[in-house]
Amino acid sequence: FPPPPPALPPRRTPEEIERLTVDEDLSDIERAVYLLSAGQDVQGTSVIANLPFLMRQNPTETLRRVLPKVREALHVAGVEMQLTAAVSFLTILQDESVSIHSYTHSFLQVILLHLEHRDTGVSNAWLETLLSVIEVLPRETLRHEILNPLVSKAQLSQTVQSRLVSCKILGKLTNKFDAHTIKREILPLVKSLCQDVEYEVRSCMCRQLENIAQGIGTELTKSVVLPELIELSRDEGSSVRLAAFETLVNLLDIFDTDDRSQTILPLVKSFCEKSFKADESILISLSFHLGKLCHGLYGIFTPDQHLRFLEFYKKLCTLGLQQENGHNENQIPPQILEQEKKYISVRKNCAYNFPAMIVFVDPKNFHMELYSTFFCLCHDPEVPVRYTIAICFYEVSKLLNSGVYLIHKELITLLQDESLEVLDALIDHLPEILELMSTGGESSVQENKLSSLPDLIPALTAAEQRAAASLKWRIHEKLLQKYACLPHVISSDQIYYRFLQRMFTIMMTNNVLPVQKAASRTLCIFLRYNRKQEQRHEVIQKLIEQLGQGKSYWNRLRFLDTCEFIIEIFSKSFFCKYFFLPAIELTHDPVANVRMKLCYLLPKVKSTLKIPADKHLLQQLEMCVRKLLCQEKDKDVLAIVKRVSITLARMLHFFFCIKFQKKFYEKDLLDQEKEREELLLLEMEQLEKEKQQNDGRPMSDKMFEKKRRDTKTPTQSLPKNIPISVPGPSSVTPSTSKEIKKSKLIRSQSFNNQAFHAKYGNLEKCASKSSTTGYTPVSELGKTSVLSLTDDSFRTRNASSVPPSFSPNTPLPSTSRGTGNSVDPKSSGSKDTQPRKATLKSRKSNP
């Protein structure tokens, strides 16, 4: 339900309105002075909030006339005005509206005056402003205005609030002075505050010792800071001991090996032994810093200490799970509920530090030492714990390397988790995780190991269905985007039967636009990697009939989105072969929004044409644009058409400009590479069928990989006489010898493996760099293997040179919407099939 509307302000009486009314002829400065002098508190607060603007506009008059009134108002101001003033003063400093000297003279004393305000929130706000001011003040100003008064403010005779403020200021001042000044003037105050009678002061000063240690250097840290930390670690106050422990962990890098082994390690050991007997908050901090502690003390532990520390970590990972929890939660005492929440925080921190513990025990010992703990964390009853381990899953997979197969089942468990938060955390790195799973954690491409994980595909489909059934559409969108990596890890048939139809259903039925677009892009990538001609024809036919010629204008809009993705992912010839005519026929669409979206897409559509080979398609495009210019009745669409027509004319002009020739030439080279890759996949399919017929068995991916390693042929060295790729006379005939066929099959399989194991991120990077004309920079050629799939789109236009098996079994449906016919749009497909095929046959490839 939407939130209730805000309450209406109270009705003002005429007298109140008259009192709050200000003369409109007053300047900003005069109005501010008037409101601070005679206005209400809310008006004064508004003036102070507007003070940075006044300083930027007229700093001299603001400092002379407004700031004195602000000082007077702050003496009796309430909490809201004080907080506003602290923020405004900080903003003025950050904007650099005045010089540091003027700021010190005008604002510093006001800040120092209100540091000890009786309200803690106001005092902290002014303190944050002062700490930011200290960063930019010169050393002499700091000495006279801040350090010298601090000596008296840090005395025991002052209030606790004053001493707490002094602790934080000392931590900030250390980096501003030389070592001699620090040793003589600052360190005595630090020692005094570390021995303060109030535990809050000792704890606050202890937490500032880290900043002080970084400012005074290693030698003074060992001689001054370390003894204080040792003493504070034995303090009677638990918060002081906790602060000392956390500071020691953060300073581990400063101390040498002797200090770590002789001083710090015994303290850590004692702290761990006493932690279960102390407050649970200490356990929370200990579990959070465990990873940093293991890293800092690595190599110092004896085998016995190493084992005891590991057992301590395992005990923390299951803390609170041994207790029976079958009773009603309403009957649990509040103390027990609070304790259980702290135990959950401990287990969550242990999950956060799990990758560090793998390094601690060595990944080779993971199965023996930590697998059972990892299993417990992945099956923890609390969502925050499982969410954290899901975030760390990718790091765990990288550390295990070749042993990543050990956590296959845990991946399935997290994919099937009932909480969408856990799924959301896992899918952030799902492509990388699946790649590690499929390659066994090694960089070299190996036999796909996901075949030994039969539950993966059901888990992936179930995860998508749970995300679709929820109201969290952003998780659903992200999941669909990540599914674009599936062609690299599972077979084409598995994608076709388990995922591709689901993507199509989402495009047709889902009500969230980003989700539909994500499904559309993923479907295009699935189509690009599909290895079977019949399946590709079926998908293309559905896209044209059910989207491009669909009854719902929403589906036709999604068809145009799909066309845009196809332009980015596939070659120009593929788009012109199947989607050019269905796209431009939407210029006759009865819905203005569809025509408008098509107009925005027309520059990209035109960029797919190859002049002069596609001159007939260019004529059809120009005819559609002229018809829109003459017959369009919607004023918004007409305005867009006029702008787009100018862009289209410039595109043709740029093509013939000398300075653009090199740019277009490079893009054409990339497109030719795409066509060659598409051809190789077509040829691979044909030769693989012949291989199956001859041998009576399919060729496995393992055999493909073996041949790829034996013969690594780059795509640039492919023969130019392949009849389906390059126009011109063909030197390959059906009577080619078996040796040549075998060589071509090996090259095709080699290319297929290279493309299928290309980084999914490279594909996205290549697509995102495409310009508005649909091209990809030629510099990306060396970064990714750009793969596009088609069936018979790159045959030579001479029908006699095409093998019969390359022809589709059934013609694609008509691309005409049949606006002038009474026949049903879908049934009118066969009517225009022959004319369109004749048009496409006359089309020649660009030499």
Side-chain angles (χ1 to χ4, degrees):
F1 295 98
L8 295 175
R11 187 181 298 274
R12 299 289 184 180
T13 62
E15 293 79 9
E16 290 176 326
I17 295 176
E18 180 66 25
R19 189 167 62 252
L20 295 173
T21 302
V22 181
D23 188 0
E24 295 181 358
D25 296 332
L26 295 177
S27 65
D28 291 338
I29 299 295
E30 292 173 343
R31 185 184 300 110
V33 172
Y34 173 77
L35 292 177
L36 288 171
S37 302
Q40 302 292 316
D41 287 344
V42 64
Q43 293 174 316
T45 303
S46 175
V47 170
I48 295 176
N50 202 39
L51 196 60
F53 172 76
L54 295 176
M55 288 296 300
R56 289 190 295 267
Q57 190 181 46
N58 193 345
T60 304
E61 287 299 308
T62 303
L63 292 177
R64 188 176 69 86
R65 300 182 60 187
V66 180
L67 193 59
K69 294 294 183 181
V70 172
R71 293 196 194 100
E72 295 176 5
L74 288 177
H75 281 297
V76 293
V79 172
E80 184 178 358
M81 186 178 291
Q82 290 276 355
L83 295 175
T84 304
V87 174
S88 294
F89 282 23
L90 180 59
T91 304
I92 293 171
L93 174 70
Q94 295 170 345
D95 290 346
E96 299 180 357
S97 304
V98 294
S99 64
I100 297 299
H101 176 74
S102 298
Y103 189 91
T104 303
H105 181 265
S106 303
F107 294 94
L108 183 58
Q109 291 302 322
V110 182
I111 297 172
L112 294 173
L113 181 64
H114 295 89
L115 274 179
E116 299 180 24
H117 195 276
R118 60 181 180 275
D119 186 272
T120 305
V122 172
S123 176
N124 290 334
W126 284 112
L127 178 62
E128 291 300 320
T129 302
L130 178 63
L131 296 179
S132 299
V133 172
I134 289 175
E135 292 287 346
V136 299
L137 290 180
R139 184 176 298 179
E140 289 302 318
T141 303
L142 289 174
R143 179 188 296 275
H144 292 95
E145 299 293 339
I146 297 178
L147 181 58
N148 291 341
L150 201 63
V151 176
S152 61
K153 296 291 183 181
Q155 300 301 319
L156 287 174
S157 57
Q158 299 293 325
T159 62
V160 173
Q161 180 66 22
S162 176
R163 303 203 298 275
L164 289 173
V165 169
S166 300
C167 293
K168 295 179 181 179
I169 295 177
L170 284 173
K172 200 71 173 180
L173 285 175
T174 309
N175 296 324
K176 304 297 293 186
F177 292 97
D178 57 275
H180 178 71
T181 304
I182 294 174
K183 186 175 181 179
R184 188 186 62 189
E185 300 185 24
I186 295 181
L187 288 183
L189 292 177
V190 170
K191 290 182 179 180
S192 174
L193 292 172
C194 284
Q195 299 171 4
D196 197 276
V197 295
E198 298 293 336
Y199 74 91
E200 298 102 322
V201 179
R202 299 197 302 273
S203 176
C204 182
M205 192 66 252
C206 184
R207 294 191 180 278
Q208 298 301 319
L209 290 179
E210 179 183 353
N211 296 329
I212 294 172
Q214 294 173 354
I216 63 178
T218 304
E219 295 301 324
L220 281 177
T221 299
K222 290 181 180 180
S223 60
V224 179
V225 175
L226 185 57
E228 294 296 332
L229 283 174
I230 294 173
E231 184 176 353
L232 291 171
S233 65
R234 303 188 182 101
D235 197 276
E236 60 183 7
S238 60
S239 62
V240 180
R241 296 196 303 270
L242 182 59
F245 170 76
E246 293 177 355
T247 304
L248 276 172
V249 174
N250 293 332
L251 292 177
L252 280 176
D253 294 336
I254 296 180
F255 303 118
D256 55 25
T257 304
D258 292 338
D259 291 329
R260 295 180 193 177
S261 59
Q262 298 175 8
T263 305
I264 298 177
L265 183 58
L267 288 176
V268 171
K269 182 180 176 182
S270 174
F271 197 82
C272 294
E273 290 174 351
K274 297 178 181 179
S275 58
F276 284 100
K277 302 176 183 179
D279 185 22
E280 286 79 7
S281 59
I282 296 180
L283 281 176
I284 295 175
S285 176
L286 178 60
S287 61
F288 180 76
H289 291 89
L290 215 52
K292 189 181 294 186
L293 198 60
C294 291
H295 176 73
L297 299 178
Y298 189 79
I300 297 178
F301 289 110
T302 64
D304 182 60
Q305 291 172 338
H306 188 280
L307 181 60
R308 292 178 62 182
F309 200 82
L310 181 60
E311 292 299 324
F312 176 76
Y313 171 76
K314 292 180 180 179
K315 187 176 181 181
L316 290 180
C317 289
T318 58
L319 188 65
L321 297 180
Q322 301 85 354
Q323 301 177 1
E324 296 184 3
N325 197 17
H327 42 271
N328 189 356
E329 187 171 312
N330 296 328
Q331 300 175 355
I332 303 177
Q335 298 84 357
I336 302 299
L337 283 175
E338 188 67 25
Q339 186 183 54
E340 288 183 357
K341 290 181 181 179
K342 292 181 179 179
Y343 287 162
I344 293 171
S345 298
V346 170
R347 299 200 303 273
K348 176 184 175 181
N349 291 337
C350 288
Y352 168 77
N353 285 296
F354 193 83
M357 297 307 298
I358 293 179
V359 177
F360 182 70
V361 302
D362 195 314
K364 297 178 181 178
N365 301 322
F366 170 78
H367 188 262
M368 296 293 296
E369 301 289 351
L370 285 176
Y371 175 74
S372 59
T373 303
F374 186 69
F375 177 88
C376 291
L377 292 173
C378 291
H379 291 81
D380 195 277
E382 300 298 331
V383 171
V385 181
R386 303 196 305 274
Y387 173 83
T388 306
I389 201 64
I391 292 177
C392 300
F393 199 94
Y394 174 51
E395 294 296 328
V396 173
S397 302
K398 287 196 300 183
L399 290 171
L400 292 181
N401 198 10
S402 59
V404 70
Y405 68 92
L406 295 170
I407 57 174
H408 278 180
K409 294 182 179 179
E410 283 63 41
L411 174 63
I412 302 301
T413 299
L414 294 177
L415 282 172
Q416 295 175 338
D417 197 280
E418 60 184 8
S419 173
L420 285 179
E421 295 178 3
V422 177
L423 179 63
D424 186 27
L426 183 67
I427 62 179
D428 282 335
H429 293 285
L430 185 62
E432 295 86 351
I433 293 171
L434 293 180
E435 182 182 1
L436 289 170
M437 294 283 184
S438 63
T439 60
E442 299 181 5
S443 58
S444 60
V445 179
Q446 299 178 345
E447 180 185 3
N448 195 316
K449 291 188 172 65
L450 289 184
S451 59
S452 62
L453 194 62
D455 296 335
L456 176 64
I457 294 177
L460 290 173
T461 55
E464 188 276 324
Q465 291 172 1
R466 286 201 315 277
S470 70
L471 297 178
K472 298 180 179 180
W473 62 266
R474 289 181 177 84
I475 298 179
H476 193 199
E477 178 194 13
K478 186 196 299 185
L479 186 62
L480 293 177
Q481 292 171 347
K482 301 299 181 181
Y483 277 4
C485 74
L486 293 181
H488 306 297
V489 293
I490 60 178
S491 68
S492 175
D493 282 340
Q494 289 173 320
I495 291 175
Y496 178 78
Y497 290 109
R498 301 302 298 270
F499 294 97
L500 198 145
Q501 181 58 40
R502 177 60 182 167
M503 298 298 112
F504 200 89
T505 302
I506 293 172
M507 292 172 60
M508 296 285 293
T509 61
N510 198 279
N511 295 325
V512 182
L513 179 58
V515 173
Q516 287 184 312
K517 287 189 174 182
S520 175
R521 185 175 185 83
T522 302
L523 184 143
C524 291
I525 295 175
F526 288 168
L527 177 63
R528 180 180 186 178
Y529 286 94
N530 191 280
R531 297 175 58 185
K532 290 192 176 179
Q533 191 176 160
E534 296 178 0
Q535 295 175 358
R536 293 195 296 271
H537 268 283
E538 182 182 347
V539 175
I540 294 171
Q541 183 176 354
K542 282 186 176 181
L543 287 173
I544 294 174
E545 284 189 348
Q546 299 185 26
L547 289 182
Q549 299 173 357
K551 296 181 180 180
S552 171
Y553 87 99
W554 190 256
N555 289 341
R556 301 196 294 275
L557 288 174
R558 301 293 72 76
F559 175 75
L560 292 176
D561 289 332
T562 306
C563 288
E564 188 171 2
F565 294 140
I566 288 174
I567 292 173
E568 293 179 359
I569 296 172
F570 290 86
S571 66
K572 300 177 183 179
S573 299
F574 182 90
F575 178 81
C576 291
K577 174 74 175 178
Y578 294 110
F579 295 95
F580 186 90
L581 293 178
I584 65 172
E585 283 176 2
L586 290 178
T587 54
H588 307 291
D589 197 278
V591 179
N593 284 358
V594 178
R595 302 195 301 274
M596 185 183 301
K597 188 174 184 66
L598 175 62
C599 291
Y600 283 121
L601 188 63
L602 285 179
K604 290 187 177 182
V605 172
K606 185 175 181 179
S607 69
T608 63
L609 299 178
K610 297 179 180 179
I611 307 299
D614 293 332
K615 187 175 181 180
H616 61 289
L617 294 179
L618 178 61
Q619 291 173 352
Q620 295 189 48
L621 176 62
E622 292 175 347
M623 181 178 64
C624 292
V625 175
R626 284 196 298 268
K627 187 176 293 186
L628 284 173
L629 287 171
C630 297
Q631 300 179 4
E632 181 59 51
K633 298 180 180 179
D634 189 281
K635 61 179 182 179
D636 296 325
V637 178
L638 184 59
I640 295 171
V641 172
K642 290 179 180 179
R643 293 201 304 267
V644 169
S645 62
I646 298 174
T647 304
L648 296 176
R650 287 175 179 173
M651 288 175 62
L652 190 60
H653 172 70
F654 288 160
F655 180 78
F656 293 105
C657 290
I658 295 178
K659 65 179 181 179
F660 286 93
Q661 285 290 338
K662 182 178 179 181
K663 177 181 178 181
F664 280 100
Y665 177 71
E666 292 176 348
K667 293 177 179 178
D668 285 341
L669 284 179
L670 179 58
D671 188 69
Q672 290 175 14
E673 188 69 20
K674 286 184 179 181
E675 292 189 20
R676 190 172 299 172
E677 292 167 355
E678 292 168 348
L679 166 65
L680 284 176
L681 287 179
L682 278 174
E683 193 170 86
M684 180 190 68
E685 181 182 4
Q686 175 66 18
L687 296 178
E688 189 175 338
K689 288 180 181 179
E690 295 179 4
K691 181 69 176 179
Q692 292 179 14
Q693 292 174 359
N694 295 335
D695 298 348
R697 61 185 178 86
M699 185 169 289
S700 66
D701 291 338
K702 187 175 182 180
M703 296 173 64
F704 282 172
E705 177 57 28
K706 184 177 183 299
K707 290 179 180 291
R708 187 194 70 81
R709 289 195 299 266
D710 293 341
T711 58
K712 292 186 177 180
T713 305
T715 56
Q716 288 81 357
S717 62
L718 293 171
K720 304 294 184 180
N721 57 356
I722 300 177
I724 309 176
S725 175
V726 182
S730 174
S731 61
V732 180
T733 62
S735 61
T736 307
S737 64
K738 292 183 178 180
E739 288 77 7
I740 297 178
K741 281 190 175 184
K742 183 178 180 180
S743 175
K744 290 164 69 177
L745 176 59
I746 292 174
R747 289 197 305 272
S748 302
Q749 293 162 353
S750 172
F751 163 74
N752 179 61
N753 280 277
Q754 291 176 2
F756 267 61
H757 292 90
K759 285 282 188 180
Y760 165 69
N762 290 339
L763 168 64
E764 293 297 329
K765 183 178 180 182
C766 181
S768 65
K769 288 190 177 181
S770 298
S771 65
T772 57
T773 61
Y775 291 105
T776 305
V778 72
S779 60
E780 295 297 323
L781 278 171
K783 299 181 182 178
T784 179
S785 177
V786 184
L787 177 61
S788 300
L789 285 184
T790 181
D791 47 1
D792 60 341
S793 57
F794 303 108
R795 298 175 295 178
T796 53
R797 305 312 179 200
N798 188 353
S800 61
S801 65
V802 182
S805 59
F806 274 71
S807 301
N809 297 331
T810 57
L812 287 176
S814 168
T815 59
S816 173
R817 292 183 53 79
T819 54
N821 302 330
S822 59
V823 186
D824 181 74
K826 294 183 180 179
S827 63
S828 65
S830 59
K831 180 178 179 180
D832 297 328
T833 300
Q834 294 300 327
R836 182 183 170 190
K837 291 181 70 175
T839 302
L840 292 174
K841 283 183 179 180
S842 65
R843 183 171 171 268
K844 295 184 181 336
S845 300
N846 190 23

